[in-house]
Amino acid sequence: MKPMPAKQILMGINGDEAVAYAAKHALVDVCAAYPITPQTIIVEKFAEFVANGEVETEFVRVESEHSALSACLGASAAGARTFTASAANGIELMHEVIFLTSSIRQPVVMAVADRSPSGPINIHGDQTVSLAQRDTGWIMIYCENSQEAYDSTLQAFRIGEHPDVQLPVMTMLDGFVLTHTLENVYLLKDADAHKFVGRRQPMMITIDGKQVPLKLDPKTPITIGPLQLFDYYMESKLQHSEAMEKARPVVTQINNEWAQLTGRKYGDGYLQPFKVTDADAVILTTGSSAGTARFVTRQLRAQGKKVGLLKLRTFRPFPDKKIAKLLADVPVVGIFERTHTTGSLGGPLFNEVRSALYDLDTRPTILGYYGGLGGRDVTPDHFRTIYKELLKIKDTGKSPRNPIKYITVRK
Amino acid sequence: MTQKLPGSKDIPPAGVTWKSATEYKTGDWRSKRPVRDDEKCTRCLICWIFCPDAAISWDGKNIQFDMNYCKGCGICAEECPVKCIDMEDE
């Protein structure tokens, strides 16, 4: 018999608050964070939990994001479960420490309220900054709605702290569209959540034939994060890469466990295909845009148009083989990304997906769309336009000379 | 590199060191080495005070440079009041 999901509490909260509740449920030992729009509510709400004595977390007030993640990194190295949150310019300011955290294998969880990078100054949502962290060696999960933000944040602790993995995880929620929008969110009861996350167990490592915890502990002194030059640096990178490979099954496993507990499942943890199997045209996108795209896909299907949506949830580790399998028989694919890159053939999402499809015997025609930048609304019309173009390419067999397009830009 | 170094499977993850810091010899990127003229040397120990890497030792009689840690910075030669230290190419 299928186990019944745990009884949950329905609350009207926004995405930021959902993440704060997840951090509360995750029994976080240390939280260091600095407020920045649109992430502020996460830290604000969490500080409230601390002030009310609802959590036992040590809350460190720091003067910048660089210090926020540095404090988390140090606390994590001492064995604490740590959480932080930031956005846009804050992420860029802590960029150095983002690399450090993953390279010394500390499973810090960070919520990223996705906001466009300033220049021109802007505080609204797009995914340029988070996608720019793609080479930092973190596990990266994009959330479609506030419920998924709560769910993914709790899952993140389990994935990152898994003994085979030991890597930091960032969970992305789109600025304002998710962070500041009220939604109905199911929260676990404290006891159920606590049982799911458990307590952090440090990874065991072998030094001189002895097993010691990877943690700063006077009883078993070790040095974490020393200089590694040309003699050992590359070997550490290889280890990091292998840890990321080991995370692949863990993402799916935790997603399944979560489904058993809550009744909510996000595909295989990586991808959520919707009407992809027999589709003539598929849109691949990520984050809150996927919800809008699904709405349009359903409408067009009702009109008999064979369109499908592939929502990408986990960007690192990148599910290249899964994408290739799902899109192998699709004639035309459009990739919609709320990110912007110049001087290259398309953005990071376009590049990675296109590369994943390179080994197929018959490759789909692939188009890349930049849109929703700087918080410009991503509307159903975006996806109607894209599907129309993709279906036209399917019907005429003519692909455009330039596969990269902008949606709703004024020329 | 002449000796065979351990691979990624042999070293601990996260850049954790598996040796005591005293086993790390850090003088191998030196391009100049200090050479002291023992007769000129007055044992004033100014070099011993100034060496930023504590690579100069004094046992009450003799001054010695520890080439495992000397980076060849030349501060000892610069500070020596009787100019008894020469920096020679490695």
Side-chain angles (χ1 to χ4, degrees):
Chain A
M1 207 176 82
K2 224 175 129 187
M4 285 289 287
K7 207 164 157 45
Q8 293 165 63
I9 304 147
L10 186 63
M11 284 182 78
I13 48 178
N14 60 41
D16 273 355
E17 288 173 315
V19 171
Y21 275 104
K24 179 191 177 198
H25 284 161
L27 298 167
V28 170
D29 298 308
V30 176
C31 171
Y34 190 85
I36 179 169
T37 302
Q39 161 270 153
T40 308
I41 305 165
I42 300 177
V43 189
E44 216 169 61
K45 187 80 189 163
F46 193 75
E48 206 176 291
F49 295 144
V50 176
N52 291 346
E54 293 176 65
V55 289
E56 287 173 16
T57 311
E58 180 78 34
F59 192 91
V60 188
R61 275 166 292 187
V62 285
E63 88 300 345
S64 74
E65 287 85 357
H66 189 283
S67 302
L69 191 55
S70 297
C72 285
L73 174 55
S76 178
R81 176 175 283 164
T82 58
F83 170 78
T84 188
S86 195
N89 308 34
I91 297 289
E92 296 301 358
L93 184 57
M94 62 166 72
H95 190 61
E96 173 192 8
V97 196
I98 292 180
F99 274 101
L100 272 170
T101 308
S102 63
S103 70
I104 60 178
R105 307 282 296 277
Q106 295 305 323
V108 174
V109 171
M110 174 160 71
V112 179
D114 254 321
R115 155 186 157 180
S116 58
S118 282
I121 296 258
N122 186 309
I123 57 158
H124 290 282
D126 74 37
Q127 298 169 341
T128 307
V129 171
S130 62
L131 282 166
Q133 311 309 315
R134 66 189 178 276
D135 299 330
T136 58
W138 285 49
I139 291 165
M140 297 170 70
I141 300 172
Y142 282 85
C143 305
E144 181 185 330
N145 48 45
S146 301
Q147 181 69 66
E148 192 172 353
Y150 171 79
D151 296 352
S152 302
T153 308
L154 269 166
Q155 289 183 21
F157 289 96
R158 287 285 310 280
I159 296 168
E161 292 172 11
H162 191 282
D164 292 344
V165 182
Q166 296 284 316
L167 286 174
V169 186
M170 47 178 104
T171 53
M172 268 60 71
L173 58 161
D174 289 334
F176 294 98
V177 175
L178 299 187
T179 59
H180 285 61
T181 309
L182 224 58
E183 251 182 59
N184 283 336
V185 178
Y186 281 100
L187 304 179
L188 282 174
K189 287 186 170 170
D190 289 1
D192 290 325
H194 296 170
K195 205 174 145 201
F196 174 79
V197 288
R199 287 284 180 184
R200 181 181 166 196
Q201 300 298 327
M203 181 191 204
M204 297 304 286
I205 58 171
T206 310
I207 294 174
D208 271 345
K210 269 190 296 196
Q211 287 270 302
V212 297
L214 175 60
K215 140 179 177 177
L216 295 172
D217 185 341
K219 279 179 267 173
T220 47
I222 54 168
T223 305
I224 297 179
L227 190 69
Q228 271 188 324
L229 300 181
F230 37 76
D231 46 0
Y232 287 107
Y233 185 85
M234 282 187 70
E235 282 66 30
S236 279
K237 291 288 143 190
L238 182 60
Q239 288 179 333
H240 190 156
S241 177
E242 283 167 357
M244 188 58 94
E245 288 308 309
K246 284 182 182 166
R248 286 183 190 276
V250 176
V251 171
T252 304
Q253 178 207 321
I254 301 298
N255 183 54
N256 291 342
E257 269 187 49
W258 185 257
Q260 280 204 339
L261 176 65
T262 64
R264 288 184 298 277
K265 193 171 179 180
Y266 299 97
D268 57 0
Y270 290 89
L271 295 155
Q272 277 180 283
F274 179 68
K275 313 246 180 231
V276 164
T277 323
D278 65 336
D280 287 336
V282 164
I283 289 177
L284 186 147
T285 190
T286 189
S288 62
S289 309
T292 314
R294 193 180 292 105
F295 167 75
V296 174
T297 309
R298 198 175 281 128
Q299 271 189 344
L300 293 182
R301 276 280 174 174
Q303 293 166 21
K305 300 212 166 72
K306 286 165 79 176
V307 293
L309 164 75
L310 187 55
K311 170 188 148 187
L312 177 70
R313 175 174 183 256
T314 305
F315 182 72
R316 285 286 183 271
F318 190 72
D320 50 318
K321 291 196 174 61
K322 293 173 194 286
I323 291 175
K325 207 171 159 196
L326 282 161
L327 298 181
D329 299 320
V330 177
V332 193
V333 174
I335 292 147
F336 176 77
E337 54 189 314
R338 293 184 72 185
T339 176
H340 191 233
T341 311
T342 54
S344 76
L345 183 60
L349 212 54
F350 175 80
N351 271 290
E352 302 238 1
V353 174
R354 203 164 181 252
S355 173
L357 302 181
Y358 183 82
D359 287 331
L360 290 174
D361 293 332
T362 50
R363 291 192 283 271
T365 302
I366 309 162
L367 277 78
Y369 293 89
Y370 289 131
L373 302 177
R376 184 163 298 182
D377 270 347
V378 177
T379 65
D381 268 342
H382 278 57
F383 298 105
R384 285 188 198 110
T385 308
I386 295 173
Y387 275 136
K388 202 172 156 191
E389 281 188 13
L390 300 181
L391 288 171
K392 195 176 161 200
I393 290 167
K394 157 78 170 64
D395 292 341
T396 60
K398 270 192 236 162
S399 357
R401 194 169 295 167
N402 179 7
I404 306 303
K405 292 162 179 294
Y406 288 76
I407 287 272
T408 79
V409 76
R410 295 182 298 276
K411 285 195 176 140
Chain B
M1 267 182 270
T2 46
Q3 91 219 72
K4 194 166 162 16
L5 294 171
S8 68
K9 300 253 184 294
D10 310 312
I11 59 174
V16 171
T17 50
W18 62 99
K19 304 194 269 197
S20 153
T22 57
E23 289 175 53
Y24 282 97
K25 310 301 180 206
T26 53
D28 62 347
W29 42 271
R30 180 182 55 241
S31 63
K32 282 185 183 293
R33 62 162 57 217
V35 177
R36 190 177 55 92
D37 182 338
D38 198 49
E39 281 182 16
K40 252 193 189 174
C41 175
T42 63
R43 307 324 194 237
C44 70
L45 296 186
I46 284 178
C47 61
W48 177 81
I49 292 165
F50 272 89
C51 176
D53 232 319
I56 300 174
S57 63
W58 165 248
D59 62 4
K61 270 189 194 155
N62 288 310
I63 287 170
Q64 271 185 334
F65 299 114
D66 186 344
M67 289 309 173
N68 284 327
Y69 297 102
C70 171
K71 312 290 188 296
C73 70
I75 289 176
C76 54
E78 174 69 23
E79 297 297 333
C80 178
V82 295
K83 297 293 164 212
C84 77
I85 300 171
D86 270 340
M87 296 305 290
E88 288 183 3
D89 286 344
E90 277 289 349

